[in-house]
Amino acid sequence: MPVLCPTEKETKALGERLAQLLRLGDCVTFTGDLGVGKTTLVRSLIRARAGSAIDVPSPTYALVEAYEFETPIFHVDLYRLENPAEAWELGLDDLLGTGITLIEWPDRAEEFLPPERLDVSIVEGGQGREIAWRPLGEEWIRRMADWEST
């Protein structure tokens, strides 16, 4: 069931809550139209993991931003990719599993994504952003069920 986030504040709060769930090896993807709030959600998640309001630039041009926390975070933006093979040229295969990998525009390299992951989608609705998730794999299904019940 989607969560309604009528303001940016609620979107950020959801990102902070989601940050508590993540652990080493996790992959989370973020889909939605341009400007719908993917980067806002990811930024709040990264800042929550950092424990402070650090600078979190969009990786649209760099393609990958790395954060060397106790559990490293890799913020990946595949928007500018022209074909899926470019994801491997970026070293996406080396990032997956070595930290927490957060991927915007995953449809640009979907066939290379790990089968166990959390897919997050954001849609702009009349009342604000609707944010939904789809856990893939038994571990993610269990974790999300536990998370939703708290």
Side-chain angles (χ1 to χ4, degrees), residues 18-149:
L18 184 59
Q20 299 168 8
L21 177 70
L22 301 180
R23 52 179 90 137
L24 179 67
D26 285 347
C27 178
V28 183
T29 67
F30 298 85
T31 59
D33 291 339
L34 196 61
V36 77
K38 296 179 299 295
T39 302
T40 297
L41 185 62
V42 172
R43 277 186 177 127
S44 64
L45 189 155
I46 292 170
R47 287 179 177 143
R49 294 295 292 221
S52 65
I54 64 168
D55 184 40
V56 179
S58 172
T60 299
Y61 292 100
L63 303 179
V64 178
E65 293 287 342
Y67 300 89
E68 296 300 325
F69 304 142
E70 182 176 325
T71 300
I73 294 180
F74 305 103
H75 183 189
V76 181
D77 188 327
L78 302 178
Y79 180 74
R80 295 179 0 148
L81 296 191
E82 294 183 19
N83 68 66
E86 291 177 285
W88 295 119
E89 292 172 20
L90 281 175
L92 184 60
D93 57 333
D94 293 329
L95 300 180
L96 293 168
T98 62
I100 296 168
T101 308
L102 310 173
I103 304 173
E104 294 185 50
W105 300 97
D107 57 315
R108 308 289 169 121
E110 192 165 353
E111 62 268 25
F112 297 113
L113 297 176
E116 294 200 15
R117 64 182 188 269
L118 180 65
D119 289 342
V120 177
S121 63
I122 307 173
V123 176
E124 189 67 46
Q127 301 288 330
R129 294 177 179 121
E130 293 180 11
I131 302 174
W133 42 85
R134 182 176 63 139
L136 299 173
E138 289 182 30
E139 172 66 15
W140 271 112
I141 291 169
R142 184 192 57 73
R143 284 167 59 191
M144 290 309 294
D146 291 347
W147 186 73
E148 289 173 333
S149 69

